[in-house]
Amino acid sequence: MPLRALGNTGVKVPIVGLGTAELGRPDWKVAVAVVRRAVELGITYIDTAPTYGRTRSEERIGIALGGARKNVFLTTKTLERKRDGALSELDQSLKRLRTDHVDLWQFHALRSDDDNDAILKKGGALEAGLQAQKDGRVRYLGITGHYDPTVFRNMLRQQRFDTLLIPLNCIDPWHRSFETTLLPYANNKNVGVIAMKVYCSGRLPKDSIVTAEDCLRYTCGLPAATTIVGCQSVREVELVAHVARNLKPMDGDERKKLRAATKPHSPDLEWYKRK
């Protein structure tokens, strides 16, 4: 599995990671099989959050990893904006994940400068992150969201973070683009960029606008450290691993063609962005 540097952390991660928002829904045995197969295939970056499946995603990852925990780069998140609430949520996540630390802890779903201010102020969640880093419960800190790229530029102007999890796909450039505005800015600051929404919440392949493989090739060709892909079955994991291992970079004409195919559907399909 090809690897890329995660910003200035000194860590290299696989170019595709496992998104687990859907793993709270299928049978727990299916979820466990998905995680284990991903790790077998070299997809060792695993992304989760307490809200995924109402904590079931974290629980199932904890079951699946077992002795393989040391072989993965494990991440989770918090929606809490205050120090005490965030620390309490972190401890619950660690318990469900059956580990004493996560590699990356992220302040989740930033939507406005009010979120930024709440996290950064005295008694805010950033204090929890810094304390958790100091005592070894967390290695790196990041921020996530898909609402408005301006919010993240404003945050990064005020506070250094190790990573940034944002939507990057072939429909993104047409409306409030993270690719054309925030991605170069983050790269210039050497922040590790993690891509999500590669299929635009599944709509691009589901509606036969762009194939899943072309979606993956497009996003994996961007200057991001890794691309998180949600998988609900072992078959889907195997497709992602195959594309990543045999990645054929798109030329400029191919990228333009894909973007053109998505233009009539923007911004309607991007429900997660500010209109």
Side-chain angles (χ1 to χ4, degrees), residues 134-239:
K134 187 175 181 180
D135 62 31
R137 284 178 283 177
V138 169
R139 293 177 65 195
Y140 305 107
L141 297 175
I143 50 178
T144 88
H146 43 60
Y147 190 63
D148 186 342
T150 303
V151 172
F152 296 91
R153 289 191 63 146
N154 293 344
M155 180 62 120
L156 293 175
R157 288 191 182 107
Q158 299 177 78
Q159 176 66 39
R160 168 80 195 183
F161 287 94
D162 298 302
T163 66
L164 179 65
L165 173 59
I166 54 175
L168 293 170
N169 53 44
C170 51
I171 197 173
D172 169 81
W174 298 113
H175 173 68
R176 296 200 184 279
S177 177
F178 286 79
E179 177 186 336
T180 61
T181 63
L182 189 58
L183 180 59
Y185 182 80
N187 282 332
N188 186 55
K189 288 183 169 291
N190 206 17
V191 174
V193 177
I194 305 152
M196 65 172 165
K197 296 284 191 289
V198 60
Y199 301 140
C200 192
S201 294
R203 292 296 301 276
L204 294 176
K206 181 180 179 181
D207 295 356
S208 301
I209 300 166
V210 178
T211 68
E213 183 170 347
D214 280 345
C215 286
L216 285 166
R217 288 182 62 212
Y218 182 95
T219 302
C220 288
L222 296 173
T226 189
T227 296
I228 302 302
V229 187
C231 297
Q232 299 185 58
S233 69
V234 168
R235 182 177 179 181
E236 290 179 11
V237 170
E238 291 173 344
L239 170 65

Side-chain angles (χ1 to χ4, degrees), residues 231-264:
C231 297
Q232 299 185 58
S233 69
V234 168
R235 182 177 179 181
E236 290 179 11
V237 170
E238 291 173 344
L239 170 65
V240 171
H242 174 77
V243 173
R245 288 177 169 180
N246 300 279
L247 184 64
K248 299 176 182 178
M250 287 186 167
D251 60 32
D253 287 341
E254 284 183 289
R255 301 182 75 81
K256 288 179 182 178
K257 185 177 180 179
L258 280 187
R259 288 194 292 263
T262 66
K263 186 175 182 180

